[in-house]
Amino acid sequence: MEKFVLTPPDGPPSDVERIKRESNYLRGTLKETMEDRITAGIPEDDNRLMKFHGSYLQDDRDLRAERQKQKLEPAYQFMIRVRTPGGVATPEQWLAMDELARTYANGTLKLTTRQAFQFHGVLKWNMKKTLQAINEALLTTLAACGDVNRNVMCNPNPYQSEVHAEVYEWAKKLSDYLLPQTRAYYEIWLDEEKVAGTPEVEQEPIYGPLYLPRKFKIGIAVPPSNDVDVFSQDLGFIAIVEHGKLTGFNVAIGGGMGMTHGDRTTYPQLAKVIGFCKPEQVIDVAEKIVTIQRDYGNRSVRKHARFKYTIDRLGLDAVKTELERRLGWNLEEARPYYFEHNGDRYGWVEGVNGTWHFTLFVEGGRVKDTDDYPLMTGLREIAKVHTGDFRLTANQNLVIANVPSEKKEEIDTLIKQYKLTDGKHYSALRRNSLACVALPTCGLAMAEAERYLPTLIDKIEEIVEENGLRDEEITIRMTGCPNGCARHVLGEIAFIGKSVGKYNMYLGAAFDGSRLGKLYRENIGEKEILSELRTLLSRYAKERLRGERFGDFVIRAGVVKETTDGMNFHD
Amino acid sequence: MLPFQVTNSPFNEEQVELLNRLWPTLNSAQKLWLSGYLAATESVGALQQEASATKEVTVLYGSQTGNAQKLAEKVGETLKHRGFHVTVSSMLDFKPNELKKINTLLLVVSTYGEGEPPDNALSFYEFLHSKRAPKLDHLRFSVLALGDTSYEHFCKTGKDFDKRLEELGGKRLYERVDCDVDYEEKAAKWLEGVLGELDKQGAISVATTSSAQAKPTTIYSRKHPFQAEVLENINLNGRGSNKETRHIELSLEGSGLVFEPGDALGVFPKNDPELVDAMIEKMKWNPDILVSIEEKEEPLREALLSRLEITVLTEQLLQAFATFSGDPDFHALLSSEQEAKRKEYMKGRDVLDVLCDFGSWEMTPQQFVSSLRKLQPRFYSIASSLLAYPDEVHITVGAVRYEAHGRLRKGVCSTFCAERLHIGDKLPVFVHQNPNFKLPKDTHTPIIMIGPGTGVAPFRAFMQEREAIGAKGKSWLFFGDQHFVTDFLYQTEWQTWLKNGVLTKMDVAFSRDTKEKVYVQHRMIEQSKELFRWLEEGAAVYVCGDKQRMARDVHETLIHIIAKEGKMTSERAEAYVADMQKQKRYQRDVY
């Protein structure tokens, strides 16, 4: 065991810590409660553990009040998140996910902001069958949620495809290396028998029996694209490519978006670059960072448990020193890098070795069929003939990647046949939009997001058109609560739900994801949102400097103060 | 611990000084002992003062994020230390009828969204704001409202409760306090104020609300049904269900009607106006023309709506109609040789069919109505216990609708309840006793209840009754329907009874959730060993619901289980069941 050289936080452990401690390495009573036929739900304690298995219990909140009156329990259903490191899936895997969505889930697939697949609306009795099918497709849901390292993100950028494969390999290795070792997942869902002779006491060499104090996120960016929002990660790696070769990664630590309304001790924070490491050192760096958070993270108050608070409490230098002590070697000086944007680039792009990539705009990351847009069917037909791979982007879009030139026409015909869109006919604003799931399934949501942002953008687009800003890229993000699944305050225009129809509005984030926004208006509805944007966008159209981004403009124009650090986010 | 000060404590300067010297020297065990000691001596004193007074306080919370719940629990703890008997509960788990029985009520409630009550306060909020809300003259109350001033409707739910409780006759024990997001300090002040008032006023004894109800002068019966006000009428089936099952709550206040679990309620429905109008239209009659029924005159349309049976064909009816039709086909159908064909014709057809299928009618409205039978009451197994819901009766009504002979057919009473019976309406009812479906006299006797679909209704009454009398016997319910998500009738109530042990065991079968259909009898077989053990322990078995298939299948399954687990021939197993029947340990209410 490491000796503590810094001060760990005090205070009694939170209830979730008790649940983890008593769970016998994430088992709890899940096996029994999943078989209880009287309820489609599971008890709260088991639901906490369920997250580590990549799923949690939700209910259709649209129906909650109605069903309560009907003496029916909430319309319980499970969300299932599939771990796809770097968002890469084979066509076979795509077809498997597509079929599961239509067999056991609500007929749609959600591509998440962390490049994972998400199913919604899976009933308890179908959980085991669904998880088994996911595993048969050589994917897993283990540790897709919970107090562990989550899906590792990685830039799917087709422009730098020569290093993508290499960077992706590191993302996968990181993801695999940091998976929990418990057999609980295999016993509960995959009917694995306890192997005779296995030690009675299980080992979690990295996590220990209590796992981490809170979730932990890793992402790798390849400049000039910061699509993964590398500064929003607990641990971010910035690929350094010199003369077409990957020489290593800058290491950034301590990002995180979540906060609590009305609690100024909670705040979003951006990761800070502390040095550079060689490619083969990333696993070592990640492991030691994770163990520092394991040992020093706040296990008493969950809303203060993310790594960013650990760093702000102990000091960045102290954490770096502790890291190097645990590594036994020092990080090199950080290398120069340059980010241009954090969005996606749409349409066909030629990669190396004569391969092609098509980035498809998927509004809200929701893959489904509607009467006038058969997106899900179109992608299924493409997956049937595609020989490359699919890449889920950090902006909820999809890359049909590695299409050999001789296959390009066939794929393109299907794209046209199903009218799959690169979003070119949309405003640049819509193409740079991001929304979390929110209502009706997310238990945390206070307001709409995915279901509402498209219609709000319809109305903002009128203002955009009036001001001749149709092709001006501005990032716009909306979440139903302050936890930040859609990395809200990194949007140049950001909305965080406060209650049904009411949002806090934030402005002033940087287009390349390097600066947080600032609260501009509190608790406003659509009418006020539109009138504020009418004024601001018309000013921007008239007063902006050449090439000036909207997020930079509002600061120069004094609309909001610049947020220079998460710690002065609320000032 | 903050130091004691003269300004924020009830102590004088010298006491404060002594306390501040003593306090830091105490360890936690000593502090705990002291607080217990002080509380105990305090309550002993209080008890002596008001020896006969009860000190019961009910604390209810409505909480979205858990803050109100935590606060309510803290309030409960503090009151307990002060010697009060405290019940802390979410508004959702609290039975609104209990309001009549309690005298001191504290509410801790937050406001959600655009001034809405939190999810678990919704039903209580609606109850209090509905016509069913009881007079609360005996009640004193105080409200702690949680909110957020950055919202437009600050503390609205708390304010609403405060106002409504007063409107219902409650006396405000202590003024409502509205808290912003940093609620701790204000909440503490409120509690202090409430405690002060409780001490000052002393806890009052329960006001007995048995305000010597005026004995009803009429004895209500099938002949003189009671006009029961509809208190609630909800569809128990969730969205997307193939079924519609109405849960109807009726007021019996002032009726003097009593019943026991297992009894049935007779209900007089009204006919479908569309059907009535179609007949009048077909015959080109004037709907307002007066007809006489039992020497009383009323307009034709009204008579057809509420006095006469128009959906059931009988032999007598057809024969009566024969006089008024010159249609040879109709007379042919009525000939004695055509009995089989006639029976077939009568199946699933109604009076309108006869009027349409045959012609040459020479019939006056009076002749028509005189041929018809009087409208018969429909019977429903009662789904409530008077002990749990005094002055109320609940029924569970499955709406019957099906397509036959080119027209959508509707069950008279069930679709009347589903489509045209509103809260506040009056429904003519009477009690029909069923001595052959009764709980065991010995409350220790285990019971096994088998009731798929609406057959589950009487078992809700059974559970309410067993809960109210604190019956010790085990209980086991088998329920089934089409889909778990939409058709689990009274699901949350069974869950609560399972949790608090009133219901020992429950097995469910949802036939359309799986490839192979599963019914209650399959669940019985899965559990055959234990089921037989219960029978050997003397359990009484109750079956309610569909007669044609379910009751028969369950009966055969029961014999099969007894034969298998008791290792006996099927003849002996049948004798075993017959014996149970004799001992009234196998009772059925099937239809």
Side-chain angles (χ1 to χ4, degrees):
Chain A
M1 197 68 199
E2 298 285 342
K3 203 179 85 195
F4 288 102
V5 289
L6 301 164
T7 341
D10 46 9
S14 72
D15 202 42
V16 178
E17 293 298 316
R18 170 191 63 77
I19 295 168
K20 287 187 275 186
R21 193 179 66 237
E22 294 171 357
S23 76
N24 183 23
Y25 293 90
L26 309 181
R27 286 174 180 81
T29 54
L30 268 172
K31 215 167 183 163
E32 297 80 55
T33 55
M34 285 302 289
E35 277 166 14
D36 179 357
R37 286 194 190 123
I38 305 300
T39 172
I42 53 173
E44 186 50 36
D45 279 17
D46 278 342
N47 196 25
R48 283 286 180 177
L49 299 172
M50 192 73 177
K51 295 183 181 183
F52 291 81
H53 298 256
S55 170
Y56 42 95
L57 182 67
Q58 305 184 321
D59 73 284
D60 186 337
R61 292 176 58 185
D62 286 349
L63 302 181
R64 208 183 264 179
E66 176 180 308
R67 288 180 62 93
Q68 187 182 314
K69 262 193 109 163
Q70 293 181 300
K71 303 176 191 292
L72 291 168
E73 68 178 15
Y76 287 126
Q77 45 184 258
F78 287 86
M79 181 280 284
I80 300 176
R81 194 177 288 156
V82 183
R83 228 180 141 90
T84 40
V88 176
T90 63
E92 294 74 35
Q93 288 171 334
W94 181 276
L95 289 172
M97 297 303 105
D98 173 82
E99 193 184 334
L100 284 174
R102 290 176 294 123
T103 313
Y104 296 123
N106 62 0
T108 75
L109 267 175
K110 172 93 176 176
L111 313 182
T112 77
T113 55
R114 291 195 65 77
Q115 302 176 285
F117 288 105
Q118 226 166 257
F119 299 105
H120 291 271
V122 180
L123 290 178
K124 184 168 159 179
W125 348 107
N126 295 328
M127 280 296 288
K128 214 163 151 174
K129 286 180 258 186
T130 309
L131 290 182
Q132 289 182 351
I134 291 168
N135 280 270
E136 273 162 28
L138 303 180
L139 291 168
T140 184
T141 67
L142 175 61
C145 327
D147 298 341
V148 278
N149 173 54
R150 306 285 188 86
N151 193 35
V152 175
M153 295 177 72
C154 163
N155 172 305
N157 192 344
Y159 290 100
Q160 273 77 33
S161 50
E162 69 276 12
V163 293
H164 173 264
E166 206 180 342
V167 172
Y168 166 67
E169 280 309 313
W170 286 115
K172 232 170 82 167
K173 276 183 196 152
L174 278 168
S175 176
D176 292 345
Y177 187 78
L178 294 172
L179 275 178
Q181 297 299 304
T182 174
R183 300 310 294 173
Y185 182 83
Y186 308 92
E187 288 166 21
I188 295 171
W189 309 110
L190 308 181
D191 295 324
E192 181 186 270
E193 301 283 334
K194 279 207 168 150
V195 185
T198 47
E200 275 300 291
V201 182
E202 266 182 290
Q203 296 291 320
E204 282 287 9
I206 299 174
Y207 293 118
L210 296 177
Y211 296 85
L212 294 181
R214 200 76 167 73
K215 61 183 160 194
F216 194 88
K217 299 178 173 179
I218 300 178
I220 309 179
V222 184
S225 173
N226 186 20
D227 55 351
V228 301
D229 269 326
V230 75
F231 302 114
S232 73
Q233 315 283 341
D234 291 278
L235 171 58
F237 291 107
I238 301 165
I240 303 297
V241 182
E242 288 163 358
H243 312 296
K245 286 236 156 12
L246 178 74
T247 55
F249 298 93
N250 279 351
V251 179
I253 59 171
M257 292 290 102
M259 58 176 160
T260 306
H261 279 318
D263 184 346
R264 293 169 66 92
T265 65
T266 67
Y267 50 84
Q269 180 61 287
L270 293 187
K272 294 173 181 83
V273 176
I274 55 168
F276 170 88
C277 72
K278 297 199 178 64
E280 59 274 18
Q281 293 172 323
V282 286
I283 303 270
D284 203 7
V285 169
E287 179 186 331
K288 299 302 182 291
I289 290 280
V290 163
T291 61
I292 291 174
Q293 164 65 352
R294 176 197 67 196
D295 296 340
Y296 292 106
N298 188 329
R299 289 183 186 267
S300 184
V301 183
R302 281 186 69 80
K303 63 181 177 185
H304 293 154
R306 285 288 293 275
F307 189 40
K308 58 183 175 180
Y309 301 113
T310 313
I311 293 173
D312 289 345
R313 192 182 74 245
L314 301 174
L316 188 65
D317 290 342
V319 172
K320 188 182 172 189
T321 308
E322 174 66 13
L323 170 66
E324 288 174 341
R325 196 183 67 80
R326 290 187 184 208
L327 284 170
W329 50 270
N330 289 349
L331 294 172
E332 289 175 40
E333 192 84 4
R335 307 269 171 101
Y337 63 93
Y338 170 68
F339 284 131
E340 271 172 10
H341 57 83
N342 61 3
D344 286 337
R345 298 292 168 264
Y346 298 95
W348 281 110
V349 167
E350 187 171 5
V352 289
N353 308 328
T355 59
W356 289 80
H357 311 274
F358 183 85
T359 304
L360 178 75
F361 173 67
V362 184
E363 188 156 35
R366 187 64 67 176
V367 177
K368 63 175 176 185
D369 281 345
T370 61
D371 291 343
D372 49 0
Y373 191 38
L375 174 62
M376 198 171 194
T377 305
L379 287 170
R380 187 182 318 127
E381 293 309 314
I382 288 173
K384 284 179 188 166
V385 301
H386 184 35
T387 55
D389 53 52
F390 289 94
R391 296 184 197 161
L392 285 58
T393 82
N395 289 298
Q396 305 174 322
N397 296 310
L398 186 68
V399 185
I400 303 164
N402 281 324
V403 180
S405 25
E406 63 273 18
K407 273 267 188 187
K408 189 186 168 212
E409 205 184 312
E410 186 183 2
I411 300 283
D412 201 45
T413 308
L414 285 169
I415 287 173
K416 294 211 170 83
Q417 184 187 335
Y418 291 97
K419 299 185 207 107
L420 305 189
T421 180
D422 57 7
K424 284 217 171 85
H425 59 287
Y426 289 132
S427 66
L429 183 77
R430 189 182 299 271
R431 283 185 269 126
N432 284 284
S433 64
L434 211 54
C436 72
V437 176
L439 296 170
T441 51
C442 177
L444 301 168
M446 303 169 185
E448 298 281 353
E450 184 192 323
R451 292 198 296 193
Y452 170 57
L453 186 60
T455 55
L456 179 66
I457 291 179
D458 287 344
K459 292 166 187 167
I460 302 175
E461 273 174 344
E462 288 172 25
I463 303 171
V464 164
E465 297 275 354
E466 282 165 25
N467 290 288
L469 297 171
R470 190 175 199 285
D471 297 318
E472 201 57 47
E473 291 197 289
I474 301 171
T475 55
I476 179 167
R477 296 179 176 185
M478 177 176 275
T479 59
C481 84
N483 289 299
C485 288
R487 303 187 289 276
H488 42 39
V489 286
L490 281 171
E492 292 177 283
I493 303 171
F495 299 101
I496 302 182
K498 276 216 89 178
S499 68
V500 178
K502 293 286 164 81
Y503 297 85
N504 282 357
M505 180 174 172
Y506 299 79
L507 298 172
F511 185 73
D512 66 357
S514 63
R515 181 181 63 237
L516 294 165
K518 177 78 74 190
L519 180 64
Y520 174 62
R521 288 286 181 268
E522 206 174 350
N523 212 24
I524 58 175
E526 184 177 284
K527 226 177 110 190
E528 292 151 291
I529 289 172
L530 292 176
S531 100
E532 290 292 352
L533 284 176
R534 192 172 297 278
T535 315
L536 290 167
L537 288 170
S538 124
R539 278 189 67 188
Y540 174 58
K542 289 186 204 113
E543 300 169 26
R544 69 185 151 152
L545 305 174
R546 221 182 127 79
E548 188 176 30
R549 292 290 176 186
F550 182 67
D552 301 329
F553 166 77
V554 289
I555 290 172
R556 184 177 59 81
V559 177
V560 290
K561 252 172 54 181
E562 180 178 2
T563 299
T564 54
D565 187 289
M567 291 206 271
N568 62 42
F569 175 76
H570 294 294
D571 299 338
Chain B
M1 178 74 203
L2 287 171
F4 291 90
Q5 286 174 10
V6 183
T7 45
N8 72 355
S9 71
F11 307 113
N12 65 35
E13 218 164 307
E14 190 191 344
Q15 288 172 318
V16 163
E17 210 243 347
L18 284 169
L19 278 168
N20 279 334
R21 266 178 35 211
L22 171 68
W23 196 254
T25 69
L26 298 178
N27 65 30
S28 51
Q30 289 169 323
K31 284 176 193 164
L32 203 65
W33 183 90
L34 199 58
S35 72
Y37 177 81
L38 290 171
T41 49
E42 189 62 21
S43 57
V44 167
L47 273 179
Q48 283 162 350
Q49 271 174 21
E50 1 157 348
S52 63
T54 59
K55 294 190 78 177
E56 293 195 7
V57 178
T58 303
V59 184
L60 297 184
Y61 58 84
S63 187
Q64 194 74 28
T65 60
N67 286 335
Q69 179 177 353
K70 265 181 245 157
L71 260 178
E73 281 160 3
K74 223 167 94 187
V75 168
E77 281 306 305
T78 310
L79 284 165
K80 252 178 227 163
H81 275 295
R82 297 285 196 100
F84 288 91
H85 300 291
V86 191
T87 310
V88 180
S89 158
S90 85
M91 293 181 181
L92 181 61
D93 294 332
F94 180 75
K95 287 207 182 75
N97 274 302
E98 296 282 314
L99 271 181
K100 293 176 191 163
K101 300 181 200 157
I102 63 175
N103 61 50
T104 306
L105 176 67
L106 303 179
L107 295 188
V108 183
V109 65
S110 62
T111 296
Y112 175 63
E114 296 293 277
E116 292 134 36
D119 288 341
N120 62 6
L122 204 60
S123 49
F124 186 66
Y125 182 92
E126 283 178 0
F127 172 83
L128 269 193
H129 287 80
S130 74
K131 285 172 76 171
R132 322 174 52 185
K135 279 258 157 271
L136 297 176
D137 298 326
H138 60 286
L139 188 80
R140 45 188 197 160
F141 69 93
S142 184
V143 177
L144 178 66
L146 302 189
D148 181 340
T149 41
S150 74
Y151 289 82
E152 192 182 336
H153 302 282
F154 175 59
C155 285
K156 179 167 184 297
T157 304
K159 289 171 183 169
D160 288 351
F161 272 122
D162 191 47
K163 186 165 158 249
R164 184 62 183 161
L165 287 171
E166 187 176 41
E167 282 168 6
L168 293 170
K171 315 259 174 318
R172 208 170 274 108
L173 176 70
Y174 185 75
E175 284 299 313
R176 186 190 75 243
V177 169
D178 299 335
C179 305
D180 204 354
V181 277
D182 46 346
Y183 53 80
E184 283 89 354
E185 201 172 313
K186 277 193 144 181
K189 278 233 172 81
W190 172 79
L191 181 56
E192 214 173 281
V194 166
L195 286 170
E197 285 302 319
L198 281 175
D199 284 346
K200 211 190 302 171
Q201 298 183 13
I204 46 170
S205 56
V206 184
T208 40
T209 46
S210 57
S211 48
Q213 265 176 11
K215 270 240 171 83
T217 45
T218 326
I219 306 297
Y220 294 103
S221 63
R222 182 171 180 146
K223 278 244 161 61
H224 299 282
F226 175 69
Q227 298 289 329
E229 186 181 346
V230 179
L231 300 173
E232 186 69 270
N233 182 352
I234 46 180
N235 182 7
L236 293 173
N237 295 98
R239 287 190 196 197
S241 174
N242 300 321
K243 296 199 168 182
E244 180 177 0
T245 312
R246 310 301 300 195
H247 169 74
I248 297 169
E249 303 184 355
L250 302 166
S251 169
L252 292 182
E253 209 169 319
S255 70
L257 286 176
V258 288
F259 57 85
E260 284 177 37
D263 288 342
L265 191 73
V267 175
F268 285 98
K270 280 188 178 170
N271 282 310
D272 183 356
E274 275 183 34
L275 196 58
V276 168
D277 292 342
M279 287 193 299
I280 295 175
E281 176 102 337
K282 166 77 197 159
M283 302 305 286
K284 300 194 166 56
W285 285 325
N286 173 2
D288 300 323
I289 194 165
L290 292 180
V291 290
S292 139
I293 297 168
E294 289 176 336
E295 289 150 27
K296 239 184 90 194
E297 294 217 313
E298 54 189 312
L300 172 64
R301 187 172 188 272
E302 194 47 48
L304 290 176
L305 276 177
S306 38
R307 303 291 305 276
L308 301 162
E309 198 73 61
I310 57 168
T311 54
V312 186
L313 295 182
T314 62
E315 183 75 29
Q316 288 86 338
L317 177 69
L318 293 186
Q319 297 299 349
F321 274 7
T323 334
F324 312 116
S325 172
D327 190 331
D329 290 347
F330 189 45
H331 286 279
L333 184 73
L334 292 176
S335 67
S336 49
E337 304 89 74
Q338 294 292 335
E339 200 189 328
K341 202 176 163 199
R342 191 160 64 241
K343 283 226 165 85
E344 188 53 40
Y345 178 81
M346 292 197 295
K347 247 188 235 165
R349 286 191 170 84
D350 60 22
V351 176
L352 179 63
D353 288 309
V354 179
L355 295 180
C356 294
D357 292 348
F358 304 100
S360 308
W361 295 105
E362 296 271 350
M363 182 160 54
T364 65
Q366 182 62 54
Q367 286 168 331
F368 178 62
V369 300
S370 299
S371 309
L372 296 174
R373 263 206 319 169
K374 305 281 164 313
L375 187 59
Q376 300 298 306
R378 269 63 174 174
F379 292 95
Y380 295 98
S381 308
I382 290 174
S384 64
S385 151
L386 279 174
L387 295 181
Y389 293 89
D391 291 336
E392 287 182 23
V393 62
H394 303 174
I395 50 174
T396 314
V397 182
V400 178
R401 296 187 184 95
Y402 57 96
E403 190 79 31
H405 311 297
R407 188 146 53 84
L408 175 66
R409 313 282 160 160
K410 296 173 167 186
V412 175
C413 193
S414 65
T415 56
F416 166 67
C417 291
E419 295 167 13
R420 299 187 301 281
L421 185 68
H422 305 109
I423 290 174
D425 288 354
K426 296 278 168 66
L427 188 65
V429 301
F430 61 93
V431 168
H432 175 80
Q433 284 164 356
N434 182 359
N436 298 318
F437 204 75
K438 285 281 163 292
L439 277 166
K441 291 256 158 2
D442 183 351
T443 60
H444 288 82
T445 306
I447 54 173
I448 297 171
M449 301 165 284
I450 302 157
T454 53
V456 85
F459 303 132
R460 182 174 181 262
F462 278 19
M463 285 295 97
Q464 289 179 359
E465 185 89 357
R466 299 260 282 195
E467 179 174 36
I469 60 179
K472 294 282 181 294
K474 295 190 289 187
S475 56
W476 187 352
L477 174 65
F478 288 89
F479 173 75
D481 213 310
Q482 289 188 352
H483 294 291
F484 174 93
V485 175
T486 56
D487 306 328
F488 198 152
L489 306 181
Y490 300 110
Q491 180 184 24
T492 52
E493 297 188 356
W494 308 121
Q495 289 176 340
T496 306
W497 281 318
L498 278 169
K499 211 161 49 176
N500 64 23
V502 172
L503 181 59
T504 317
K505 217 169 138 53
M506 181 165 186
D507 281 284
V508 290
F510 291 96
S511 57
R512 304 214 183 159
D513 280 346
T514 43
K515 272 192 206 119
E516 265 135 67
K517 292 190 171 177
V518 193
Y519 296 108
V520 280
Q521 60 268 25
H522 300 119
R523 297 292 183 228
M524 290 168 67
I525 290 172
E526 282 172 21
Q527 305 265 348
S528 66
K529 202 167 241 128
E530 184 159 9
L531 207 144
F532 184 67
R533 197 179 323 127
W534 280 50
L535 294 183
E536 289 286 279
E537 288 167 12
V541 176
Y542 299 84
V543 182
C544 181
D546 172 65
K547 189 183 195 165
Q548 301 293 333
R549 276 176 308 237
M550 186 278 293
R552 205 191 58 214
D553 291 344
V554 165
H555 184 78
E556 279 166 14
T557 304
L558 204 57
I559 290 169
H560 167 80
I561 288 172
I562 292 165
K564 181 180 160 225
E565 300 300 336
K567 297 185 180 56
M568 49 181 105
T569 61
S570 51
E571 288 75 33
R572 277 198 51 211
E574 274 171 42
Y576 187 103
V577 171
D579 200 44
M580 283 176 62
Q581 249 155 349
K582 240 178 269 160
Q583 298 168 30
K584 296 205 157 217
R585 279 177 48 221
Y586 181 39
Q587 303 188 19
R588 306 203 294 175
D589 174 11
V590 294
Y591 37 82

